[in-house]
Amino acid sequence: MHPMGQNKGGRRPRLNRVAVCGAGVMGAQIAAHCVNAGIPVVLFDLASEGDRNAIVRKALAGLRTLKPAPLGLPEMAGLITPANYEDDLHRLADCDLVIEAIAERLDWKRELYARIAPALRHDAVLATNTSGLSISVLAEGLPESLRERFCGVHFFNPPRYMPLVELIPTRHTDAALLDMLESFLVSGLGKSVVRARDTPNFIANRIGVFGIMAAIEHARRLGLSVDVVDELTGTRLGRAKSGTFRTADVVGLDTLAHVMRTMEDQLPGDPFHAYFSVPPVLRALVEQGALGQKSGAGFYRKEGRRILRLDPDTGQYVPAEGAIDPEVAALLAEKDASVRLKGLRASSHPQARFVWSLLRDTLHYSAVHLHDIAGTARELDLAMQWGFGHRQGPFELWQAAGWRDVAGWIREDIAQGATLSDAPLPDWVDAPGVIGAGGVYTAEGGAWNPASSDFEAPRDLPVYRRHVGPGPYAAARPRRTVHEDSAIRCWVLEDAPDVLIASFRTRMHTLSPDVVRGIMRAADLAESGYRGLVVGHVDDPFSAGADLKALMPIFEQGGPGAVAPIQREMQDMVLRLRYAQVPVVAALAGMALGGGCELAVHCDRRVAHFETYIGLVEVGIGLIPGAGGLAYCARRAAELRAGAPEAPLLAFLKGFALAVAGARVSGSAAEARQLGYLQPQDKVVMHRNEVLHVAVSEARALAEAGYRPPMAGRFPAAGRDGAATLRAQIVNLQVGGYISDYDAEVAGVVAEVICGGDIDPGSEIDEAWMMACERRGFIGLLGREKTQARIRGFLETGKPTRN
């Protein structure tokens, strides 16, 4: 990121070092995500007796065990510098950005600002992570020279995984600072940014919490249980799987109640205010200390393997067994939004009436308040997608279902007293521009701004010109297809036409025989007229591995021998990429499992999104990696040992072997590097939509440096002695109950193959030898009944069978 803008002190700094004030749940996790991104961070809290930084150290210890993990690796907690406000304020002079994340008390925040302001550098940025307090009121307590460098930056919890950050300026905030901060949040931390107006709870919580309030009210009116509501408002509605009440439990019922009280207290004139008070059922749970997931009980409680749900009438927990009526399920599955909403509105079934009422009131509320809380319809829709996991924002759904029809239905319901408020739809809903466009979006990408009564293009910041993928900021980067068939698409970015990109067209981007052949054709095509080849996609995952559904009919007709040529072809494919005459870069995001991992490790370079989960998982279905995965591990261990010739080869091979034997998958790109599936020179990027851009740039850089493919060579193997040592460790895992008996058998084959087979320790082998060992081990296991049972079970259930 380049410095942007000017201020009284000169050119603005790069945001290279961060301080976070407040080591509570949010502050500690924001600090954790900064070190995930490689950004040095100082975490402040109050001083303690004895160990002055005891509060921060306790928070750092908690980061190591918290689930979901806020850190890419637990030991990364050690990269956060602990500090306190009495002894360490001088550390702020080194920080470019200071994020305040203390408790939601105006007086406490102002007191903290008064303490830290004299220690801030003249050009440092100060931001508050408040979830609902007025940014402008907070700014009133700042020195005038600091006000232009102050704004709100509201992370959603958990900060590592939730993409949304709301950026909230005051009238004093420097516009160039906002652009710089947005660029930092997007590229540096991988966040998705919307700009909100300074109103209570900003955009996402304002609309999302209203939706929860409306869901609770309509469920009460219609007598629906919490588990039925969650089924209706989860993936069937294009929202997060957790639905309404499970989401509330995850967020924390005390947090939800706090946000509701903020709306009740600070929005007395809101036409929907009658429903802003904390519902009795929620108030009772909070008073009992049933705060949701963090306390073990909320709207749901887990007893052993059973999930119980709250019965609001009795206050007791009962089995969660609610079911969706097939008629309603069919309506929710309808792809045409107009047909879907019309059918829900016309149905007399309570479940359908609930869904229509919830959608209608959310659309109504969003329309009434768009002008107050956001600049454009786009900001509101994206806030709901990125903050609450909605597939479509309210206005996208409205437009897809027919703008004028839906507006008419809402008005009819208002007239009949069915809505939660009798407030009319705002005039802009019928503005000529909106009616002419069929809604708030134009085909050219404009979004309606009710303040200017015009359509507004997405922000054109340089950071977004790096994006390739779904979303409003990536669509403007033209692409051209070079070759396309049923299995693979080869294409280029028009602004980088010298690098070919190969994307798979299979579900979960699995490696079918046709995809394997397509990749080899892509390599031929890249060598014929391009400077490099990138293998990757605009969507996740990179690859879930070999296409077992395509392989099973072949196996059932011809047995293991019929699969052998396909396995050989997959090995040939990874070697084709390894020895291509142009640089090959894997663009990784999401899962890269099994054959997907094997493909990636044989490329010249890998560019990985931080949330990339890589592993050789074949042991889970009773097989060993069969497309060069163990060959890579053996060769890579030998390469690492060459840099430390005094160390035994097994010291480097052991980690690979145990990771494969345990089907271990990295929990982040950082862990993938630790496991050896990413190498030191591989790039890790924080924003998913930058992966392809960086991968193309990496391929170009390799070509510019005079790329030559690696030369095939020989390397030492651990041999039979190494295999015996590894098998002894596998037996320990088996005896300890960590793996099943058959897992141990399969892991024994891993040990034998990864060590090069029944040969003397230190014997020089090559990739051809290792590939042959893989084929024998793979085909041998494929012929076993327990392996076949595992594969059938996996295809039926999607989960490994333990036999």
Side-chain angles (χ1 to χ4, degrees), residues 565-781:
I566 299 173
Q567 184 199 3
R568 180 64 179 262
E569 199 167 29
M570 288 189 69
Q571 291 182 334
D572 291 343
M573 177 267 293
V574 300
L575 292 177
R576 178 73 180 87
L577 295 180
R578 174 165 165 75
Y579 296 109
Q581 295 302 305
V582 295
V584 181
V585 179
L588 304 174
M591 295 181 294
L593 304 180
C597 175
E598 291 174 298
L599 187 161
V601 296
H602 280 85
C603 293
D604 295 293
R605 291 286 191 278
R606 287 137 295 278
V607 172
H609 181 220
F610 187 80
E611 300 302 337
T612 301
Y613 314 117
I614 311 178
L616 297 170
V617 296
E618 288 84 352
V619 168
I621 55 170
L623 292 169
I624 65 168
L630 296 182
Y632 164 80
C633 293
R635 173 176 55 78
R636 183 64 185 145
E639 291 170 352
L640 292 169
R641 192 248 183 166
E646 301 302 317
L649 176 59
L650 204 61
F652 299 98
L653 196 60
K654 176 183 171 183
F656 286 114
L658 295 181
V660 175
R664 185 174 170 186
V665 177
S666 72
S668 66
E671 188 177 6
R673 200 188 301 278
Q674 187 181 70
L675 291 174
Y677 299 135
L678 294 182
Q679 296 187 27
Q681 67 270 31
D682 293 333
K683 301 291 190 298
V684 174
V685 299
M686 298 306 294
H687 200 289
R688 170 63 182 89
N689 285 356
E690 290 190 6
V691 173
L692 281 172
H693 171 86
V694 177
V696 167
S697 299
E698 190 75 356
R700 278 177 148 179
L702 288 169
E704 191 69 24
Y707 174 80
R708 292 289 182 271
M711 298 179 67
R714 300 175 67 81
F715 51 88
R720 65 178 72 89
D721 290 359
T725 301
L726 292 176
R727 277 194 291 266
Q729 298 196 22
I730 291 165
V731 169
N732 290 338
L733 295 175
Q734 179 185 9
V735 171
Y738 295 103
I739 60 176
S740 71
D741 291 347
Y742 194 59
D743 287 334
E745 277 190 59
V746 179
V749 180
V750 170
E752 180 181 351
V753 173
I754 204 169
C755 292
D758 187 16
I759 57 177
D760 293 334
S763 297
E764 294 281 328
I765 59 172
D766 57 17
E767 284 173 322
W769 176 276
M770 283 300 304
M771 294 289 190
C773 289
E774 278 190 4
R775 292 195 296 274
R776 288 193 296 271
F778 184 91
I779 296 300
L781 287 169

Side-chain angles (χ1 to χ4, degrees), residues 292-354:
Q293 184 172 284
K294 60 187 173 186
S295 67
F299 286 109
Y300 292 92
R301 188 175 75 195
K302 189 174 183 182
E303 290 186 358
R305 294 188 176 183
R306 291 201 312 161
I307 302 294
L308 305 180
R309 56 94 175 168
L310 180 73
D311 181 345
D313 294 330
T314 66
Q316 303 298 310
Y317 288 91
V318 298
E321 298 173 347
I324 304 302
D325 184 274
E327 171 195 334
V328 179
L331 283 172
L332 292 174
E334 171 60 54
K335 292 184 178 181
D336 187 311
S338 177
V339 174
R340 183 167 70 250
L341 265 62
K342 186 175 182 180
L344 289 167
R345 183 170 186 262
S347 174
S348 61
H349 195 288
Q351 294 178 2
R353 288 171 57 202
F354 168 84

Side-chain angles (χ1 to χ4, degrees), residues 109-424:
K109 290 179 185 288
R110 282 185 166 176
E111 180 182 340
L112 176 65
Y113 298 166
R115 175 180 283 190
I116 67 174
L120 298 180
R121 212 174 55 220
H122 67 85
D123 56 357
V125 179
L126 175 63
T128 174
N129 183 57
T130 181
S131 60
L133 294 179
S134 169
I135 310 301
S136 296
V137 172
L138 286 169
E140 290 173 1
L142 293 172
E144 186 174 347
S145 61
L146 186 53
R147 290 181 188 177
E148 71 167 16
R149 294 179 279 125
F150 177 72
C151 65
V153 54
H154 179 213
F155 288 81
F156 270 57
N157 190 25
R160 172 181 166 184
Y161 301 97
M162 292 298 292
L164 179 63
V165 170
E166 292 174 314
L167 195 56
I168 312 103
T170 72
R171 64 185 181 86
H172 301 288
T173 308
D174 179 25
L177 177 145
L178 286 175
D179 290 348
M180 178 184 66
L181 190 53
E182 179 168 349
S183 299
F184 168 77
L185 290 166
V186 170
S187 193
L189 295 183
K191 299 291 99 182
S192 299
V193 175
V194 301
R195 296 197 187 183
R197 300 198 190 282
D198 186 14
T199 56
N201 295 329
F202 312 127
I203 300 176
N205 277 341
R206 181 78 174 269
I207 303 299
V209 172
F210 170 81
I212 294 174
M213 293 172 173
I216 293 173
E217 174 62 18
H218 289 303
R220 182 193 66 79
R221 293 182 182 183
L222 294 165
L224 300 186
S225 64
V226 299
D227 52 332
V228 167
V229 168
D230 282 347
E231 279 294 314
L232 292 168
T233 58
T235 53
R236 295 175 190 270
L237 201 60
R239 298 183 177 182
K241 182 180 180 181
S242 52
T244 299
F245 292 102
R246 283 191 181 88
T247 297
D249 274 357
V250 171
V251 169
L253 302 189
D254 52 342
T255 301
L256 178 61
H258 169 77
V259 176
M260 288 180 174
R261 291 190 191 99
T262 300
M263 294 176 70
E264 182 180 20
D265 295 343
Q266 298 187 25
L267 296 167
D270 192 300
F272 295 78
H273 186 268
Y275 299 96
F276 286 0
S277 59
V278 179
V281 61
L282 178 58
R283 187 184 310 115
L285 287 170
V286 173
E287 289 173 354
Q288 296 163 17
L291 306 181
Q293 184 172 284
K294 60 187 173 186
S295 67
F299 286 109
Y300 292 92
R301 188 175 75 195
K302 189 174 183 182
E303 290 186 358
R305 294 188 176 183
R306 291 201 312 161
I307 302 294
L308 305 180
R309 56 94 175 168
L310 180 73
D311 181 345
D313 294 330
T314 66
Q316 303 298 310
Y317 288 91
V318 298
E321 298 173 347
I324 304 302
D325 184 274
E327 171 195 334
V328 179
L331 283 172
L332 292 174
E334 171 60 54
K335 292 184 178 181
D336 187 311
S338 177
V339 174
R340 183 167 70 250
L341 265 62
K342 186 175 182 180
L344 289 167
R345 183 170 186 262
S347 174
S348 61
H349 195 288
Q351 294 178 2
R353 288 171 57 202
F354 168 84
V355 176
W356 163 250
S357 299
L358 175 62
L359 292 175
R360 175 204 63 212
D361 289 334
T362 302
L363 297 178
H364 186 192
Y365 191 80
S366 299
V368 167
H369 290 295
L370 174 60
H371 182 278
D372 307 329
I373 66 177
T376 68
R378 178 187 298 109
E379 302 290 337
L380 191 149
D381 279 344
L382 290 178
M384 297 311 298
Q385 291 176 37
W386 294 334
F388 279 80
H390 293 193
R391 183 175 63 238
Q392 288 180 304
F395 294 120
E396 287 179 305
L397 173 63
W398 188 341
Q399 184 158 343
W403 187 263
R404 300 184 79 165
D405 287 342
V406 174
W409 298 339
I410 295 173
R411 288 193 175 99
E412 288 177 19
D413 284 9
I414 293 172
Q416 294 169 10
T419 54
L420 294 184
S421 169
D422 61 2

